[in-house]
């Protein structure tokens, strides 16, 4: 199991402890539960002698899911890990809906209204809300973890590939296939450029090899302008022919073009980097090529949190990760800005919004409900709840959703903090045997 986070009496972070030790501390009443997710204890006894060894927080930002890992550089142990799922797509959809309603309203047959004076300018460093929410999610969790565990440094994957390594044509031919660091950087670049698919049969989700458009044997260079990606079958079928002779003359021109949005791919990552700098921690920057290389060198399967644990040059030669069960965190948003729901035509469908607290509970609280045996849904249910004015709550538990739970049977374990949680079980942790 992952380690348990511990705070001292003054709420300062201490070294995370093992679950066994946490159980003992709770049993002996030397500690109390401070938070359920992530599981954090607060000591009831003074520990002035406790030494907190600084840990390293590693971040692998992703568009849908970001990986977080706390590692101890001295021992190589992954102390705690999480996968943070963003809600960029939901934000995007909500804004599109709002825009559609407003557009509809403007185009209705009403009196003429002059267009508004366009005096709105975007501030410097503006990000679209869907991207900003991703950046804020990571920022929030870095700040939270800094409160709950002793973090001394950050490792952050700031780019997908190293531009220097990609431009450098001096990489020997076999380097691409046989795992040098530079080869991994080039492969990351090619994967982005060719959209993660075989250039010939357009298949995705298969193992891809770096392929020379003009074969090496016929004087083709190792520059990225002569490289593409192909599945093994196409690569073998093409053999010693050039891509033109193989029936794909357009590929040569496509390969010559630089990756159009190489800067855009990394722009959000840099925006996040600028914000992480405000944390005051030492930040080690790295690239996706390096992460993949580290992971492959150590024979570690692919997962967002394991990618995070492999970010950066500082990664210890041996990582202890098998015991970790990552916490799955999902950004849920806080409330709705909309004052009421509306129908397809944009007319109000519901009454105006009421206060969100219902019977002292709020949607998003994590509760424990103990329903007596003579009632429907009897038993104990723990999970994130949706509050309703009539006092019959819905609880999303590990096993599924239960409805109509009376508020009087519920006890709050944790207040809504904008995120939903799930701990990955051992069963869910089974990795595919073929690592990608
Ligand atoms: Zn193919």
């Amino acid at each position: 199991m992952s380690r348990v986070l511990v705070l001292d009496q003054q709420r300062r972070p201490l070294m995370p402890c093992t679950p066994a030790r946490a159980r003992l501390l709770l049993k002996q009443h030397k500690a109390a539960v401070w938070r359920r997710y992530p599981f954090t204890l607060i000591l009831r006894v003074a520990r002035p002698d406790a030494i907190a060894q600084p840990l390293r927080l590693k971040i692998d930002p992703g568009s849908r899911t970001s990986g977080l890992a706390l590692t101890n550089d001295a021992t190589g142990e992954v102390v705690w890990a999480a996968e943070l799922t963003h809600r960029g797509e939901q934000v995007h959809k909500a804004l599109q809906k709002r825009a559609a309603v407003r557009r509809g309203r403007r185009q209705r047959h009403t009196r003429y209204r002059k267009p508004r004076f366009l005096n709105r300018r975007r501030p410097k460093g503006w990000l679209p809300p869907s991207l900003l929410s991703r950046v804020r999610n990571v920022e929030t969790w870095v700040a939270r973890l800094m409160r709950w565990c002793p973090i001394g440094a950050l490792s952050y994957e700031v780019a997908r590939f190293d531009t220097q390594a990609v431009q450098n044509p001096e990489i020997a031919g076999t380097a691409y296939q046989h795992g040098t660091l530079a080869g991994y950087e080039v492969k990351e670049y090619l994967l982005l450029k060719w959209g993660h698919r075989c250039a010939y049969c357009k298949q995705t989700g298969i193992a891809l090899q770096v392929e020379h458009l003009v074969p090496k044997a016929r004087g083709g260079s190792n520059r990225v302008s002569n490289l593409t990606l192909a599945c093994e079958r196409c690569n073998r079928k093409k053999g010693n022919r050039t891509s033109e002779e193989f029936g794909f003359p357009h590929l040569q021109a496509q390969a010559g073009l630089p990756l159009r949005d190489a800067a855009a791919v990394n722009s959000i990552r840099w925006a996040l980097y600028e914000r992480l700098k405000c944390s005051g921690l030492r930040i080690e920057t790295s690239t996706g090529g390096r992460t993949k290389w580290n992971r492959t060198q150590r024979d570690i399967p692919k997962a967002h949190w394991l990618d995070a644990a492999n970010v950066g040059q500082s990664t210890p030669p041996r990582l202890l990760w098998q015991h970790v069960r990552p916490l799955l965190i999902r950004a849920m948003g806080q409330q709705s800005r909309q004052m009421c729901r509306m129908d397809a035509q944009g007319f109000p469908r519901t009454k105006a919004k009421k206060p969100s607290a219902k019977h002292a509970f709020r949607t998003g609280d994590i509760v424990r409900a103990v329903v007596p045996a003579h009632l429907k849904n009897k038993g104990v249910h723990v999970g994130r709840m949706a509050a309703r004015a009539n006092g019959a709550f819905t609880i999303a538990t590990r096993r599924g959703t239960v409805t109509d739970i009376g508020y009087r049977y519920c006890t709050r374990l944790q207040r809504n903090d904008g995120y939903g949680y799930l701990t990955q079980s051992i069963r869910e942790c089974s990795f595919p045997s073929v690592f990608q």
Side-chain angles (χ1 to χ4, degrees):
M1 290 291 281
S2 314
R3 286 187 173 241
V4 176
L5 312 182
V6 186
L7 303 176
D8 72 2
Q9 280 182 309
Q10 281 71 41
R11 299 184 194 173
R12 284 176 308 220
L14 294 175
M15 203 60 189
C17 70
T18 58
R21 186 160 176 74
R23 274 194 293 276
L24 200 70
L25 285 170
L26 285 170
K27 205 173 157 194
Q28 294 172 343
H29 299 287
K30 286 183 179 168
V33 177
W34 177 253
R35 248 188 99 90
R36 295 274 161 172
Y37 300 98
F39 197 62
T40 310
L41 298 184
I42 184 161
L43 294 184
R44 289 174 192 268
V45 289
R47 286 289 305 277
D49 56 325
I51 320 158
Q53 225 176 347
L55 300 172
R56 181 179 285 277
L57 175 59
K58 300 183 154 203
I59 305 163
D60 169 36
S63 65
R64 251 188 225 137
T65 306
S66 294
L68 301 168
L70 273 173
T71 58
N72 187 337
D73 282 349
T75 60
E77 185 194 359
V78 179
V79 171
W80 180 89
E83 289 192 353
L84 174 56
T85 306
H86 305 293
R87 56 192 295 273
E89 242 153 80
Q90 282 156 272
V91 172
H92 179 68
K93 267 193 197 142
L95 286 174
Q96 259 186 340
K97 208 170 134 199
R98 185 181 76 178
V101 168
R102 286 183 175 176
R103 199 174 304 122
R105 202 154 54 203
R106 277 197 299 279
Q107 285 170 355
R108 245 174 257 150
H109 296 292
T110 49
R111 67 182 170 82
Y112 173 75
R113 282 185 293 180
K114 251 189 353 188
R116 207 191 123 104
F117 170 51
L118 190 64
N119 62 349
R120 283 181 271 190
R121 203 177 290 151
R122 280 168 182 170
K124 207 169 155 253
W126 178 88
L127 284 175
S130 56
L131 301 187
L132 186 64
S133 91
R134 288 171 198 157
V135 170
R136 291 252 170 94
N137 287 162
V138 178
E139 227 187 329
T140 301
W141 275 94
V142 170
R144 285 182 180 185
L145 289 170
M146 279 173 71
R147 286 207 300 275
W148 303 326
C149 26
I151 295 173
L154 287 179
S155 292
Y156 178 62
E157 192 187 295
V158 82
R160 295 286 283 275
F161 52 86
D162 183 355
T163 329
Q164 289 294 314
V166 171
Q167 293 308 321
N168 172 19
E170 294 305 314
I171 307 162
T174 51
Y176 305 117
Q177 314 291 4
H178 302 268
T180 61
L181 177 54
Y184 271 84
E185 302 286 8
V186 172
K187 190 149 184 205
E188 275 303 299
Y189 172 86
L190 291 173
L191 280 168
L192 267 182
K193 185 168 171 179
W194 296 95
H196 290 261
R197 60 179 65 213
C198 172
Y200 301 108
C201 66
K202 307 291 179 216
Q203 220 173 309
T204 54
I206 43 167
L208 295 171
Q209 302 176 337
V210 176
E211 211 267 331
H212 289 74
L213 291 169
V214 177
K216 283 274 295 172
R218 297 176 58 184
S221 79
N222 280 325
R223 286 178 170 273
V224 283
S225 54
N226 188 39
L227 297 177
T228 185
L229 292 171
C231 66
E232 200 189 342
R233 236 185 77 218
C234 293
N235 202 349
R236 206 179 308 140
K237 221 158 89 189
K238 178 170 169 281
N240 206 21
R241 286 179 282 181
T242 66
S243 63
E244 202 172 344
E245 292 163 356
F246 190 47
F248 294 85
H250 60 282
L251 287 185
Q252 193 71 64
Q254 206 178 332
L257 296 173
L259 179 60
R260 202 192 309 138
D261 44 2
V265 168
N266 296 328
S267 73
I268 308 148
R269 289 166 177 240
W270 281 108
L272 182 53
Y273 173 71
E274 289 302 319
R275 282 154 197 258
L276 290 177
K277 273 205 290 199
C278 302
S279 67
L281 295 172
R282 255 183 311 122
I283 306 182
E284 172 198 33
T285 56
S286 181
T287 62
R290 155 77 75 175
T291 303
K292 214 174 202 175
W293 185 67
N294 279 348
R295 188 161 58 71
T296 318
Q297 291 282 304
R298 288 162 183 77
D299 237 356
I300 296 174
K302 169 141 187 68
H304 292 288
W305 65 278
L306 285 169
D307 265 341
N310 281 295
V311 167
Q313 202 178 351
S314 65
T315 309
R318 206 167 135 254
L319 266 182
L320 304 168
W321 59 271
Q322 278 88 349
H323 60 288
V324 178
R325 300 281 162 265
L327 179 65
L328 307 181
I329 307 171
R330 177 181 282 276
M332 307 294 282
Q334 293 284 359
Q335 285 173 322
S336 167
R337 192 169 164 275
Q338 239 172 323
M339 286 311 292
C340 67
R341 307 271 163 235
M342 53 207 163
D343 59 19
Q345 282 72 38
F347 286 102
R349 185 169 59 82
T350 57
K351 284 186 198 151
K353 209 154 61 168
K354 288 194 187 115
S356 57
K358 312 269 181 349
H359 304 280
F361 291 93
R362 227 177 256 266
T363 295
D365 288 351
I366 291 159
V367 296
R368 181 170 191 269
V370 184
V371 182
H374 65 277
L375 291 175
K376 199 183 89 177
N377 290 328
K378 62 185 178 212
V380 181
H381 312 286
V382 179
R384 196 174 194 274
M385 57 90 84
R388 281 167 61 193
N390 65 5
F393 297 164
T394 303
I395 304 178
T397 70
R398 263 197 95 86
R399 282 158 293 169
T401 310
V402 283
T403 52
D404 298 327
I405 303 289
Y407 71 92
R408 58 174 69 82
Y409 304 120
C410 297
T411 328
R412 183 169 47 227
L413 301 178
Q414 184 168 307
R415 279 184 193 279
N416 175 26
D417 63 353
Y419 294 87
Y421 303 94
L422 194 72
T423 314
Q424 199 166 54
S425 70
I426 296 169
R427 193 164 42 81
E428 289 160 334
C429 246
S430 56
F431 291 106
S433 55
V434 183
F435 303 157
Q436 3 174 335

